[in-house]
Amino acid sequence: MKRTTIALAVAAMVILAATQALAAGEFAGREITVLFMSSGTYDASARLAAAEFEALTGAKVNVVDAPWTALHEKLGIALATGSRDYDVVSVEGMWDGEMGPYFEPLNDLIERDGFPYDDFIPGVAKNAGQAADGTIFGIPHAADAVAIFYRTDLFAELGLKPPTTYDEYAELARILHTSKRAGTVFAGVREQLLKYWITRYRAMGGVMLSPDWKVQFNNEKGVQALEQLKAMKDYAPAGVMSYDNPDVAIAFVNGDAAMAETWPSLTLGMASDPAQSSVVGKFAIAPVPGGSGEMSTWHLSIPKTARNKDVAWEFIKFMTSTDNQLRYQREFGVNPTRYSAWEILAKEKPELAGVPQALNTAWAFPRIPQWPQMYDAANIQLSQAMSGQISCEAAVRSIANTWTELINQLKPDFAWRGD
Amino acid sequence: MAVSSLSAGTSRRWKNRRTLVYLLFLLPAVLVLVATSLYPLLYALGVSLTRWNLLSLWLPRTWVGLGNYVKVLQDPTFLTSLANTFLFIVASVGLEFLIGFGIALLVSGESRSLKIIRPVLLIPMMLPPVVVGVLWRMLWHTKYGLVNYALVRLGGTAVPWLASATHAKIAVVLSDVWEWTPFFILVLVAALQSLPQEPYEVAQIDGASRWQTFRYVTWPLLKPMVAIVVALRAMDAAKVFDLIYVLTQGGPGLSTEVTTLFIYKQGLKFFEVGYASAGAWVYLIFILTFSWLLLRRRGAGVQV
């Protein structure tokens, strides 16, 4: 009886060990937490990557997501308090000035594993995860440039062509505006206004800051650009000042507006989905008048306080591989950031062929620690001017003063691009 | 009053022991209060005297004395937020009181149907403010919201609720009124049901009309209760945050920017904790003054 019991126990242990060995992936039993922006696109791509990474390596990946404003606050608090909760975070390039030093430098890892960092579009990489001194602390996984969506069917009907200047754009909005359908739509909510103003100002040949960080828009061109933006309210839906990016996408895909000035990566998926969109096959994307829109870039970084940096690095390499970048473009409309991915994609979808070039030449806001305050202060003034509470001159002047004050608090030790 | 062994005897030894026991029972609560209220308050006061960015630690951390206070009291955004908060409190608490009182008078009876209606009326109060915000954000949507849909169906025109500076203020107040009027209904119904019957019988005998009964019997009896519940709700309204954060984030422009939002942005968005703490202390004094003024005028109760 005793011998049988021992034999059974040994057999059980052997079987248990065998099943464990068979189930083991490279990182079996490990667990990482990743943080992404809620958008239906970036977080969706993260969840897909998480499932496949787990199947491949056995590591469990928890995906946490938050909307843009909340993401900045969540990430900021986590970094400021030295939290060890996150292993991989998706960071918007705009926040690099204040968050960069909190991330693990990746230069050595890139060299050790022969990671093809040069395959990433330089214009994007420079503004996402790269410090002025060459330290690489993030790998870009998504990039986008504001563009103009327009209804090809309506344009064909009225014999119109995509705009090459903002005056043409305004004229098109006027022509296309009817009582049932707005000429255009944009995100008029306070947090989204700055890019629309600066893009128009740049299209007039304006320069934002001089190389030594002096404000350059406190003049007639700056005011004119704001007046131009304000005039667009008349040709946009009535509630446009409360519209955020999702509302803009919804308005365009429902046919409430003939044009939309917004982020392709947040709109393309919805617009091409027959279940949600009434404009499938009836729209195209044109670059913003004046050539380059504002660039939004997202990079994957590892906080210095992360617990599982080795698994985190493997996840980053996995998610930014050429194949996966193509996958996320096809499934969710997320723009790849690597030339090798674009080579294949441009052949598959010729209508997107101009995008890599647009990404390489798009402009980005300054990556300095004071940026969030400059961004918010400018948006408050712009929003007040747009709703008629203050004049456009007063708004531009106020923005100039606040920016000068904030920049002088800690003059950056590197020169501004000068645009 | 129950007689315990501790209250037996009046000698000094017994009195001291009693006091000691009372203190011992109070100690845990006092410790918790000190740790969670007093200490953070004083710490924030200390931080408010410095310039300190919690995230960008390479920005110089310096002593500025009252500099933050001077700056915040001249900050147009902060001052606008104080004005907005004051307007919000007066408008929303005022409306909640008037509507809540009216409904309370109607539903404070004893019939069976009223006993079923009363809990249903309380539902909005039980929802988390964030949920209320999301719900009303959808309802106030200019194109797809139910409010404009109903307005248009009834023959009116669609209103740009959250997109216009004035309408956003109205929308925010109405959302808060929807959520917190039940609070007034709850408390005032309880108060009305606890009123003594004799004054009413006397009034009836004296031949008082319904309005006279209300004006000379109900209202004086309720006044102290009303004052307290209004003050409570006002202090709560001063803390409004979730609703505004979800509905408008303070926009358009600064039309719905309240001080709590300002402090949150300064402290947890820009991580300027020194400046945010100064703003918070100024706001604390603002609310204390406001509450003191409110409670001062509550008037004495009526002895019947």
Side-chain angles (χ1 to χ4, degrees), chain A residues 46-83:
Chain A
R47 294 202 158 82
L48 186 56
E52 296 185 339
F53 188 72
E54 186 170 343
L56 199 62
T57 65
K60 182 152 164 34
V61 181
N62 302 316
V63 179
V64 179
D65 64 278
W68 191 61
T69 321
L71 179 65
H72 174 261
E73 290 152 18
K74 206 178 171 93
L75 187 54
I77 293 171
L79 295 173
T81 56
S83 157

Side-chain angles (χ1 to χ4, degrees), chain A residues 39-338:
Chain A
S39 53
T41 52
Y42 303 140
D43 53 335
S45 67
R47 294 202 158 82
L48 186 56
E52 296 185 339
F53 188 72
E54 186 170 343
L56 199 62
T57 65
K60 182 152 164 34
V61 181
N62 302 316
V63 179
V64 179
D65 64 278
W68 191 61
T69 321
L71 179 65
H72 174 261
E73 290 152 18
K74 206 178 171 93
L75 187 54
I77 293 171
L79 295 173
T81 56
S83 157
R84 314 196 69 193
D85 289 343
Y86 302 113
D87 299 284
V88 178
V89 290
S90 168
V91 186
E92 164 132 41
M94 208 195 282
W95 308 330
D96 280 357
E98 40 164 13
M99 294 185 186
Y102 286 92
F103 300 126
E104 188 80 10
L106 303 170
N107 302 59
D108 292 336
L109 285 169
I110 291 173
E111 213 183 295
R112 183 196 79 182
D113 294 352
F115 185 71
Y117 188 71
D118 297 324
D119 189 29
F120 287 81
I121 302 173
V124 170
K126 229 180 347 139
N127 287 300
Q130 243 187 51
D133 63 0
T135 312
I136 300 168
F137 54 83
I139 306 290
H141 76 98
D144 208 0
V146 174
I148 311 278
F149 280 72
Y150 66 96
R151 292 278 299 278
T152 45
D153 55 338
L154 297 172
F155 271 52
E157 202 181 295
L158 296 165
L160 301 169
K161 285 214 299 263
T164 54
T165 68
Y166 266 109
D167 286 323
E168 279 173 33
Y169 174 77
E171 185 59 24
L172 284 169
R174 197 188 58 79
I175 295 171
L176 290 159
H177 190 76
T178 69
S179 58
K180 293 258 183 309
R181 177 199 66 228
T184 184
V185 65
F186 57 94
V189 81
R190 203 172 77 185
E191 294 69 45
Q192 304 290 348
L193 281 174
L194 185 59
K195 59 176 176 288
Y196 293 116
W197 172 55
I198 294 282
T199 315
R200 281 164 172 76
Y201 172 67
R202 288 170 55 99
M204 289 175 173
V207 163
M208 226 185 347
L209 299 162
S210 66
D212 65 341
W213 298 93
K214 296 240 180 346
V215 160
Q216 303 289 307
F217 49 75
N218 193 8
N219 51 38
E220 230 182 77
K221 269 199 211 140
V223 178
Q224 235 183 327
L226 184 50
E227 306 265 9
Q228 214 178 40
L229 178 60
K230 190 168 166 184
M232 284 298 97
K233 262 175 64 184
D234 295 333
Y235 305 118
V240 72
M241 295 304 288
S242 63
Y243 277 24
D244 205 334
N245 293 322
D247 299 299
V248 173
I250 291 171
F252 186 73
V253 307
N254 279 352
D256 295 339
M259 296 192 288
E261 189 177 347
T262 186
W263 302 106
S265 66
L266 299 177
T267 320
L268 206 53
M270 204 191 286
S272 313
D273 178 10
Q276 296 182 68
S277 161
S278 60
V279 300
V280 182
K282 295 195 263 188
F283 72 91
I285 305 174
V288 299
S292 48
E294 190 217 337
M295 169 182 0
S296 154
T297 62
W298 293 86
H299 59 86
L300 295 175
S301 294
I302 307 174
K304 281 184 177 151
T305 50
R307 270 185 272 236
N308 303 292
K309 294 190 192 154
D310 50 344
V311 186
W313 174 238
E314 293 302 316
F315 181 78
I316 292 178
K317 285 195 296 182
F318 176 76
M319 196 170 170
T320 56
S321 71
T322 307
D323 286 332
N324 276 334
Q325 289 213 331
L326 282 168
R327 194 75 192 284
Y328 307 143
Q329 206 291 332
R330 292 182 191 122
E331 304 249 0
F332 312 113
V334 177
N335 277 336
T337 49
R338 300 175 68 150

Side-chain angles (χ1 to χ4, degrees), chain B residues 163-174:
Chain B
S164 124
T166 24
H167 293 110
K169 286 188 162 88
I170 299 173
V172 160
V173 166
L174 289 179

Side-chain angles (χ1 to χ4, degrees), chain B residues 243-259:
Chain B
L243 191 65
I244 313 243
Y245 187 87
V246 173
L247 273 177
T248 61
Q249 283 256 330
L254 286 175
S255 58
T256 58
E257 181 99 4
V258 290
T259 313

Side-chain angles (χ1 to χ4, degrees), chain B:
Chain B
M1 199 170 96
V3 177
S4 73
S5 62
L6 288 171
S7 56
T10 51
S11 69
R12 181 170 237 137
R13 208 174 111 242
W14 281 114
K15 280 211 179 95
N16 281 342
R17 194 173 151 174
R18 214 186 315 163
T19 316
L20 186 65
V21 174
Y22 292 165
L23 282 175
L24 267 172
F25 272 99
L26 277 175
L27 196 63
V30 169
L31 277 177
V32 169
L33 265 176
V34 168
T36 58
S37 291
L38 195 59
Y39 177 67
L41 265 178
L42 295 175
Y43 187 82
L45 188 61
V47 170
S48 71
L49 301 173
T50 68
R51 191 271 152 101
W52 184 13
N53 188 308
L54 204 57
L55 182 64
S56 303
L57 296 169
W58 46 91
L59 285 169
R61 183 178 169 184
T62 52
W63 169 267
V64 290
L66 292 174
N68 281 333
Y69 288 92
V70 172
K71 192 161 159 225
V72 88
L73 286 169
Q74 294 175 329
D75 188 330
T77 311
F78 182 74
L79 296 171
T80 311
S81 76
L82 279 179
N84 283 341
T85 312
F86 181 73
L87 263 167
F88 176 81
I89 296 175
V90 168
S92 59
V93 177
L95 273 174
E96 284 159 20
F97 168 63
L98 288 171
I99 300 175
F101 199 9
I103 298 180
L105 286 170
L106 287 171
V107 304
S108 57
E110 287 299 322
S111 76
R112 241 179 108 214
S113 50
L114 282 177
K115 285 202 177 127
I116 298 173
I117 291 176
R118 277 198 296 259
V120 170
L121 284 174
L122 295 182
I123 290 178
M125 197 175 79
M126 302 190 224
L127 294 171
V130 176
V131 171
V132 175
V134 173
L135 192 72
W136 279 99
R137 200 187 160 142
M138 290 192 285
L139 290 173
W140 292 122
H141 195 282
T142 313
K143 181 116 198 195
Y144 300 112
L146 263 183
V147 177
N148 273 344
Y149 179 73
L151 271 176
V152 168
R153 281 295 280 241
L154 292 172
T157 47
V159 175
W161 289 110
L162 299 176
S164 124
T166 24
H167 293 110
K169 286 188 162 88
I170 299 173
V172 160
V173 166
L174 289 179
S175 307
D176 194 74
V177 165
W178 179 85
E179 189 184 359
W180 289 109
T181 302
F183 177 70
F184 279 91
I185 300 176
L186 183 70
V187 176
L188 291 172
V189 162
L192 283 167
Q193 288 179 335
S194 71
L195 291 178
Q197 283 305 308
E198 294 85 37
Y200 287 96
E201 289 164 11
V202 170
Q204 206 175 26
I205 293 172
D206 284 351
S209 71
R210 282 192 69 172
W211 168 250
Q212 283 172 323
T213 315
F214 176 80
R215 168 111 169 64
Y216 295 109
V217 180
T218 313
W219 178 245
L221 284 173
L222 274 182
K223 248 198 332 197
M225 197 59 166
V226 163
I228 291 177
V229 88
V230 165
L232 253 179
R233 181 64 207 124
M235 281 188 273
D236 220 33
K239 291 186 260 177
V240 69
F241 177 77
D242 316 40
L243 191 65
I244 313 243
Y245 187 87
V246 173
L247 273 177
T248 61
Q249 283 256 330
L254 286 175
S255 58
T256 58
E257 181 99 4
V258 290
T259 313
T260 46
L261 200 62
F262 175 87
I263 296 169
Y264 175 80
K265 269 203 315 201
Q266 292 298 328
L268 290 172
K269 192 162 160 161
F270 308 144
F271 297 97
E272 289 289 340
V273 289
Y275 194 55
S277 301
W281 263 92
V282 172
Y283 191 51
L284 176 63
I285 295 170
F286 174 80
I287 300 182
L288 283 175
T289 316
F290 186 76
S291 311
W292 176 71
L293 284 172
L294 255 183
L295 286 169
R296 212 169 132 244
R297 300 182 74 238
R298 76 172 197 255
V302 176
Q303 282 303 105
V304 183

